[in-house]
Amino acid sequence: MPELNAAVAEVTERIRQRSHDDRSAYLERLKAAADVGPVRTSLSCTNLAHAFAAAPDGDKARLKALQRPNVGIVSAYNDMLSAHQPLERFPALLKQAVREAGGTAQFAGGVPAMCDGVTQGQPGMELSLFSRDVIAMATGVALSHNTFDGGLCLGVCDKIVPGLLIGALHFGHIPFIFVPGGPMTTGVPNEEKARIRGLYAEGKVGRDALLESESKSYHGPGTCTFYGTANSNQMLMEVMGLHLPGSAFVNPNTPLRDALTIAAGHRIMEITAHGDEYTPIGRVIDERAIVNGIVGLLATGGSTNHTIHLVAIARAAGIHINWDDFDALSRVVPLLTRIYPNGQADVNHFHAAGGMGFLVRELLTAGLLHEDVMTVAGEGLDAYAREPMLADGGVAWRAGPAHSADTDVVRPVTEPFSGNGGLRVLQGNLGRAVIKVSAVKPEHRVVEAPARVFDDQQQVLAAFRAGALEGDFVCVVRGQGPRANGMPELHKLTPELGVLQSRGQRVALVTDGRMSGASGKVPAAIHLNPEYVCGGAIGRIRDGDVIRLDADAGLLEVKVPEAEWADRSSTPESSEPQYGIGREMFAAFRSLAGSAEHGAISFSPHEEVGS
């Protein structure tokens, strides 16, 4: 394999040194748990009898014998959300596959799965980020019976996959395979969808036309086909070695999808401590795998939500990363894909044009990924430069395409869309934020304009409808961080701000909240840290203050005389307790959450980590 890129090697080593103590302690805990041996041997007869009382006779005999692996299935199935509806059939397929391989599988538990697409702009979005932590804890509860030698995690979207992975990493001594559901088939073209949204924002078409367009876009089982957080999750699980190769973007309810699901059940049996290729998840996810995940995210223009989630995932494995690591890697990782909102193609088009097999091989060839990693498919990431195919009723793998079938969608490293990954850290007297510029045209990457300050996105939308957002301005939306209200996404602002930009106004967004994996053409400084309720400088901004957002220089500052700036208060006004849609139950999560840069974790230490 080619020599590893010097910057990738440097960032990896910096992470390794920074993480040394916590990673060493994590691995010691992993080893101690593994040394106990197959977990069920420590259970009493009463414990065991409870654990297999309802099992079918054949499975019960194997569970009594304590000789063969028992695999726990944890699923985010529900039949309201398109991405998770296909998972209903998976447990039966997986149980039979595990039986064929000589073991047993039990449905260990379900985890909640909420959809940001349904809750955008709604009070329920304030539960979204912390649903990740609930899912992680629910995964822990599902596995707490100490009866499993391996796990199969079924989940797809936004907070669900990070939550499942964080939970699994707390059981790092056993192997896990993540089993995806796949994207829905392609609906209305993304360009047309965006056009109708813009027309609706301007009042030029009615709600009936908007709903018709959205229904044709989100129209069947499977993940939404744009490249937001859900599909970024699927890319990450491949490039980090937790999927079977090439399984991320195979459509649901197809013969290949079912064959890959069955293959996951067969494979988990080979990588438990009973098999010949023991592959505990705590060793799969190491510093190299985390760096591979960041590189994959940057090369594909993936979701900014993962500047939060990857930090939390890494922390669960005793690894410390921060935004400086993302920024340093972004400067050397080329952008190789154009998938909506960073282009017009969807993930089905990406998959057909070369998909993950082509992408991984290109990045490996350029020395931008660590090849020498442990994966659920075996040693080495080279296995993920392959793609699956049906063969003799099962799955076989062949080399991925040598050339892109559509260079408007995915390109080789020698002809990238951009020489860098388009993710930047912004710093200045307002604090630290991140910005994704892969979909922002160069002429919009520097905005200097007066501030318009709002306390929530509804105020922004009301001002837009009233025609009060005239001229150039920087839209400041404060009080949207993890401790304030759970850090809801502000994606609902995208059409309106996009309309103003299209009219020729220079606009930008600055917020301590999230924008979403679907953030697009308007420059947005997001995840601003410290947040408003923690005394962040965003609270000192007043209407009319001139703000400079310079994505090229990595600068975010307000141009106010230093003495005046220092005298201003940043104390939030007292707010009413949050009630409705279950928000009152999450008060403890909000009070304990760390900063966005440190994963916004609510259940583990979140001290600030230096670079």
Side-chain angles (χ1 to χ4, degrees):
M1 294 300 295
E3 184 177 353
L4 189 66
N5 177 278
V8 174
E10 181 182 343
V11 170
T12 306
E13 182 57 28
R14 188 163 66 234
I15 293 170
R16 182 178 289 114
Q17 292 181 12
R18 185 193 303 143
S19 309
H20 178 269
D21 291 349
D22 280 355
R23 178 65 175 172
S24 296
Y26 176 82
L27 292 175
E28 282 298 318
R29 293 194 298 271
L30 185 156
K31 182 178 184 301
D35 285 347
V36 172
V39 292
R40 293 183 311 286
T41 58
S42 65
L43 299 181
S44 72
C45 292
T46 301
N47 297 149
L48 283 169
H50 277 83
F52 57 64
D57 289 342
D59 288 354
K60 187 175 291 187
R62 287 176 177 173
L63 287 164
K64 280 183 178 180
L66 300 176
Q67 298 300 311
R68 301 295 295 163
N70 186 36
V71 176
I73 300 169
V74 181
S75 176
Y77 162 72
N78 66 61
D79 67 4
M80 182 188 78
L81 302 179
S82 63
H84 296 92
Q85 186 268 352
L87 302 179
E88 180 181 18
R89 299 172 50 246
F90 283 22
L93 294 174
L94 291 166
K95 288 179 183 181
Q96 184 56 37
V98 170
R99 289 188 191 107
E100 291 169 359
T104 54
Q106 295 175 297
F107 191 92
V111 302
M114 64 176 291
C115 176
D116 292 356
V118 177
T119 58
Q120 288 290 352
Q122 302 296 318
M125 174 58 84
E126 296 182 12
L127 278 62
S128 175
L129 179 60
F130 293 138
S131 75
R132 179 198 66 190
D133 296 5
V134 171
I135 291 162
M137 291 186 283
T139 301
V141 172
L143 299 170
S144 65
H145 298 98
N146 204 28
T147 59
F148 302 112
D149 302 286
L152 293 160
C153 291
L154 317 183
V156 180
C157 288
D158 303 289
K159 268 49 83 201
I160 292 93
V161 167
L164 286 167
L165 181 48
I166 291 167
L169 285 166
H170 285 275
F171 293 78
H173 61 291
I174 62 177
F176 288 83
I177 295 177
F178 279 64
V179 185
M184 70 177 69
T185 56
T186 300
V188 67
N190 288 306
E191 186 174 15
E192 175 65 8
K193 177 177 67 176
R195 187 183 73 84
I196 296 296
R197 286 179 175 178
L199 291 173
Y200 179 76
E202 294 183 272
K204 294 180 179 179
V205 301
R207 184 180 174 85
D208 55 344
L210 178 65
L211 183 56
E212 180 68 13
S213 172
E214 298 295 328
S215 298
K216 289 179 179 178
S217 178
Y218 309 113
H219 63 91
T223 318
C224 306
T225 59
F226 69 88
Y227 195 53
T229 311
N231 286 315
S232 296
N233 282 338
Q234 303 314 298
M235 177 279 302
L236 285 173
M237 292 304 96
E238 293 229 4
V239 80
M240 293 168 71
L242 290 173
H243 275 177
L244 293 185
S247 59
F249 300 123
V250 176
N251 299 126
N253 304 319
T254 61
L256 183 56
R257 174 85 278 155
D258 285 356
L260 283 164
T261 300
I262 292 166
H266 292 160
R267 179 61 183 167
I268 193 68
M269 289 290 289
E270 298 170 346
I271 62 175
T272 72
H274 293 267
D276 297 328
E277 301 179 58
Y278 177 46
T279 310
I281 193 172
R283 294 194 179 276
V284 172
I285 301 302
D286 63 6
E287 298 88 349
R288 295 166 300 176
I290 293 293
V291 168
N292 284 351
I294 298 173
V295 168
L297 187 75
L298 296 167
T300 57
S303 170
T304 52
N305 281 325
H306 283 297
T307 62
I308 300 175
H309 296 322
L310 272 171
V311 176
I313 289 165
R315 176 63 66 90
I319 300 165
H320 297 281
I321 62 174
N322 60 37
W323 290 345
D324 292 332
D325 301 322
F326 287 83
D327 190 84
L329 290 169
S330 183
R331 296 177 188 278
V332 300
V333 175
L335 181 66
L336 300 185
T337 72
R338 285 286 189 198
I339 315 171
Y340 187 81
N342 303 328
Q344 293 307 318
D346 66 13
V347 294
N348 291 314
H349 199 156
F350 164 70
H351 185 66
M356 290 302 302
F358 177 81
L359 178 77
V360 168
R361 191 181 63 252
E362 286 296 311
L363 293 170
L364 284 172
T365 299
L368 292 167
L369 291 174
H370 291 275
E371 198 284 328
D372 59 334
V373 291
M374 180 182 287
T375 80
V376 299
E379 292 287 342
L381 196 63
D382 191 58
Y384 289 79
R386 301 179 299 165
E387 63 179 15
M389 58 183 291
L390 289 171
D392 299 324
V395 180
W397 278 266
R398 62 189 175 194
H403 305 284
S404 171
D406 188 341
T407 55
D408 288 335
V409 178
V410 59
R411 291 184 178 179
V413 292
T414 54
E415 304 174 45
F417 291 101
S418 170
N420 59 71
L423 191 73
R424 295 281 184 275
V425 173
L426 302 178
Q427 302 184 78
N429 60 2
L430 288 176
R432 282 165 63 87
V434 294
I435 184 171
K436 185 171 101 174
V437 296
S438 51
V440 178
K441 293 181 179 179
E443 60 266 31
H444 295 308
R445 294 179 183 178
V446 179
V447 176
E448 184 171 314
R452 292 289 306 273
V453 181
F454 302 93
D455 290 316
D456 60 52
Q457 60 185 327
Q458 299 304 327
Q459 291 180 0
V460 182
L461 296 174
F464 176 86
R465 289 190 293 267
L469 298 179
E470 298 180 349
D472 299 345
F473 70 99
V474 174
C475 179
V476 177
V477 187
R478 62 189 186 182
Q480 305 301 304
R483 290 205 176 191
N485 61 354
M487 210 178 189
E489 289 184 352
L490 306 179
H491 178 52
K492 197 173 181 67
L493 301 180
T494 299
E496 284 74 9
L497 294 178
V499 165
L500 298 177
Q501 186 184 75
S502 297
R503 291 175 181 171
Q505 295 175 235
R506 297 188 65 77
V507 297
L509 174 70
V510 173
T511 182
D512 51 6
R514 294 184 295 138
M515 189 61 186
S516 105
S519 54
K521 64 182 183 179
V522 175
I526 58 177
H527 309 172
L528 185 60
N529 179 32
E531 65 171 291
Y532 181 35
V533 300
C534 294
I538 190 172
R540 299 181 185 181
I541 303 172
R542 305 292 182 258
D543 279 340
D545 288 347
V546 174
I547 294 176
R548 182 174 179 84
L549 185 162
D550 187 337
D552 296 327
L555 180 67
L556 181 64
E557 65 177 6
V558 60
K559 294 191 169 184
V560 173
E562 189 172 340
E564 178 185 347
W565 185 246
D567 284 343
R568 287 187 184 177
S569 170
S570 181
T571 304
E573 297 180 6
S574 59
S575 59
E576 294 295 323
Q578 294 166 337
Y579 290 101
I581 318 294
R583 289 177 293 169
E584 59 272 23
M585 295 188 291
F586 284 76
F589 286 76
R590 292 189 291 271
S591 68
L592 295 172
S595 69
E597 184 164 7
H598 298 91
I601 307 167
S602 64
F603 57 75
S604 65
H606 47 259
E607 68 274 5
E608 302 297 298
V609 180
S611 61

